[in-house]
């Protein structure tokens, strides 16, 4: 595969990964994370005692509910994710073949991407088998962001050299750009932890949280990464879940589930407040970086990067505020995930130009 063909295929993979990320966000926000409770397919049929009329009826009603409301978003997400895995495999093979004819084609990133996507598949499976455990869900989300970041970085590697900056100009922004990238990545992880613990709507006031939040916050519980789920047979949160608990009890299974979140309101407040403060910090630091880039007189490209960062940063902040004001509308919340991707990619492009371009150009 030629370098140009490989570059075009990587560009397609980036768009496909973005689609998978947005579909994953849609699935989580639609509460369809367990819409397909089996793996790798969607539906299995529970085996229950035939003399249990109530349980048999509950089985039918429960499966019908899932089929009507939850199964299709999750299955679409799985199909797109599986396609992405195939595309990354083709990129890996194409890079190896192309490398034999063109020694300038890098192979390190494709060699990282392939096992990463395989591990993403495992995380997707564990998301189902471990009943949307928050740590697994967050790891799965971060894996998606890592995948699109590495694909984008590989796309930049395959391009002709973007621009030659003087060492003086590059040195102005090296440290600042790297700090901004790290802050954005940490903030994305906090956003994933907020979403996976269903803490996005726990604070309904701005700019921080509800009145008296400092007396109702538990950071230790909020950041317990391997929290234990609850048994529906004990909590009986909803009639549908009670029916499923009965089904599992009939089969001698303990039904542990994290869907809807298991933390107290104090734990969720801790997560949400941390994510809020992280957003403010990112807005200030990355915003200053954007202003400095826009004021750089010696580089048109850096001024363009500055404007792009400023636009995405303002958009992302507006979407975050809208999530609070309008109680997490589905389309706005999905767009907020997309905004996180765009902000991350603009920061990667900036770091590539000022930090990594020449170092990675000769990567083997």
């Amino acid at each position: 595969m030629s370098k140009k063909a490989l570059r075009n295929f990587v560009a397609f993979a980036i768009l496909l990964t973005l689609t998978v990320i947005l579909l994953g966000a849609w699935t989580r926000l639609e509460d369809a994370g367990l819409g397909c409770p089996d793996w790798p397919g969607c539906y299995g049929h529970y085996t229950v005692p035939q003399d249990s009329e109530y349980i048999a009826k509950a089985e039918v009603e429960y499966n019908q509910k899932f089929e009507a409301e939850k199964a299709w978003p999750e299955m679409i997400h799985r199909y797109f994710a599986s396609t992405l895995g195939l595309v990354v495999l083709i990129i890996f093979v194409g890079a190896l073949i192309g490398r034999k004819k063109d020694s300038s084609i890098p192979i390190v990133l494709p060699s990282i991407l392939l096992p990463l996507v395989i591990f993403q598949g495992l995380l997707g499976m564990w998301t189902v088998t471990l009943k949307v455990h928050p740590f697994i869900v967050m790891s799965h989300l971060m894996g998606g962001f890592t995948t699109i970041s590495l694909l984008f970085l590989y796309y930049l590697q395959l391009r002709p050299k973007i621009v030659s900056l003087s060492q003086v100009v590059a040195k102005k922004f090296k440290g600042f750009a790297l700090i901004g990238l790290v802050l954005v990545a940490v903030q994305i992880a906090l956003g994933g932890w907020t979403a996976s613990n269903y803490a996005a709507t726990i604070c309904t006031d701005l700019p921080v949280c509800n009145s008296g939040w400092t007396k109702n916050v538990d950071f230790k519980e909020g950041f317990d990464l391997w929290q234990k789920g609850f048994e529906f047979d004990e909590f009986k949160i909803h009639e549908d879940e009670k029916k499923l608990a009965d089904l599992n009890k009939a089969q001698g299974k303990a039904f542990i589930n994290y869907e809807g979140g298991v933390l107290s309101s104090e734990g969720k407040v801790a997560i949400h407040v941390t994510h809020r403060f992280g957003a403010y910090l990112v807005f200030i630091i990355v915003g200053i970086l954007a202003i400095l880039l826009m004021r750089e007189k010696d580089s048109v490209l850096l001024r363009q990067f500055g404007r792009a960062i400023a636009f995405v940063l303002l958009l992302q902040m507006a979407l975050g505020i809208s999530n609070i004001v309008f109680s997490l509308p589905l389309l706005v919340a999905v767009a907020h995930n997309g905004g996180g991707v765009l902000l991350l990619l603009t920061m990667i492009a900036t770091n590539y130009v000022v930090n990594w371009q020449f170092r990675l150009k000769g990567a083997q």
Side-chain angles (χ1 to χ4, degrees):
M1 187 180 291
S2 69
K3 181 180 284 189
K4 182 178 179 181
L6 185 60
R7 185 172 69 243
N8 292 336
F9 207 74
V10 171
F12 169 73
I14 291 171
L15 294 176
L16 181 59
T17 307
L18 176 60
T19 302
V20 172
I21 290 173
L22 295 180
L23 284 172
W26 185 285
T27 301
R28 290 193 309 275
L29 293 162
E30 277 277 42
D31 268 350
L34 289 178
C36 294
D38 293 343
W39 187 274
C42 190
Y43 284 102
H45 297 284
Y46 296 107
T47 302
V48 298
Q50 296 302 309
D51 59 346
S52 177
E53 182 178 349
Y54 169 74
I55 293 178
K57 183 180 179 181
E59 174 188 15
V60 173
E61 291 178 355
Y62 188 78
N63 281 338
Q64 287 177 344
K65 174 180 169 60
F66 264 132
E67 185 173 3
E69 299 178 4
K70 291 189 173 184
W72 68 268
E74 173 60 11
M75 283 311 299
I76 292 175
H77 176 60
R78 288 188 192 181
Y79 292 144
F80 273 85
S82 299
T83 303
L84 176 61
L86 177 61
V87 169
V88 169
L89 175 61
I90 294 173
I91 290 173
F92 174 73
V93 174
L96 291 180
I97 295 174
R99 175 79 173 182
K100 295 179 179 179
K101 298 180 179 180
D102 184 353
S103 61
S104 68
I105 294 179
I107 59 172
V108 171
L109 288 180
S111 300
I112 296 173
L113 278 162
L114 185 59
L116 174 62
V117 170
I118 293 173
F119 185 62
Q120 270 291 89
L122 291 174
L123 287 172
M125 178 186 70
W126 293 332
T127 296
V128 175
T129 58
L130 294 180
K131 309 301 180 185
V132 290
H133 190 288
F135 183 75
I136 300 298
V137 173
M138 184 190 70
S139 300
H140 193 44
L141 181 144
M142 291 305 296
F145 276 78
T146 302
T147 299
I148 199 169
S149 297
L150 294 181
L151 283 169
F152 184 61
L153 187 58
Y154 192 50
Y155 177 82
L156 294 176
Q157 279 189 263
L158 292 170
R159 286 177 55 88
K161 188 168 65 175
I162 297 176
V163 65
S164 294
L165 293 177
S166 69
Q167 290 295 322
V168 175
V169 173
K171 190 175 181 180
K172 292 180 184 178
F173 302 102
K174 281 185 175 181
F176 210 163
L178 188 58
I179 290 171
L181 176 60
V182 171
L183 287 176
V184 169
V186 171
Q187 179 63 5
I188 289 171
L190 284 172
W193 190 242
T194 302
S196 62
N197 282 282
Y198 302 84
T201 57
I202 195 67
C203 295
T204 57
D205 292 344
L206 291 167
V208 181
C209 195
N210 309 326
S211 177
W213 69 270
T214 55
K215 299 178 181 178
N216 298 284
V217 62
D218 188 341
F219 287 98
K220 183 178 180 180
E221 182 193 26
F223 291 93
D224 175 11
L225 297 183
W226 203 256
Q227 54 201 250
K228 186 180 185 298
F230 52 78
E231 296 186 19
F232 279 123
D233 194 40
E234 296 176 1
F235 284 77
K236 300 180 176 62
I237 288 180
H238 192 278
E239 184 62 23
D240 289 324
E241 283 77 6
K242 175 62 168 61
K243 292 176 182 177
L244 183 57
D246 287 343
L247 290 174
N248 282 271
K249 189 174 182 179
Q251 302 173 81
K253 297 179 180 178
F255 188 68
I256 305 297
N257 194 305
Y258 297 86
E259 197 166 15
V262 302
L263 298 181
S264 67
S265 61
E266 290 81 3
K268 292 182 178 181
V269 167
I271 296 171
H272 191 113
V273 167
T274 304
H275 184 52
R276 287 259 190 114
F277 279 116
Y280 300 145
L281 182 60
V282 167
F283 187 76
I284 293 171
I285 300 300
V286 177
I288 293 174
L289 173 63
I291 292 172
L292 293 176
L293 288 170
M294 287 189 289
R295 296 180 62 183
E296 176 53 54
K297 298 179 180 179
D298 296 328
S299 174
V300 174
L301 181 62
L302 291 185
R303 292 199 296 272
Q304 292 174 341
F305 279 176
R307 287 191 286 269
I309 292 171
F311 173 77
V312 177
L313 187 64
L314 289 171
L315 175 64
Q316 187 69 339
M317 182 62 74
L319 290 170
I321 293 173
S322 298
N323 277 332
I324 303 302
V325 174
F326 301 108
S327 300
L328 205 68
L330 180 59
L331 291 179
V332 175
V334 172
H336 193 51
N337 280 260
V341 173
L342 294 179
L343 185 58
L344 180 63
L345 296 188
T346 55
M347 293 304 301
I348 288 174
T350 302
N351 274 274
Y352 182 80
V353 169
V354 302
N355 274 316
W356 308 325
Q357 181 175 189
F358 305 107
R359 190 188 322 167
L360 292 178
K361 206 63 189 176
Q364 302 299 309

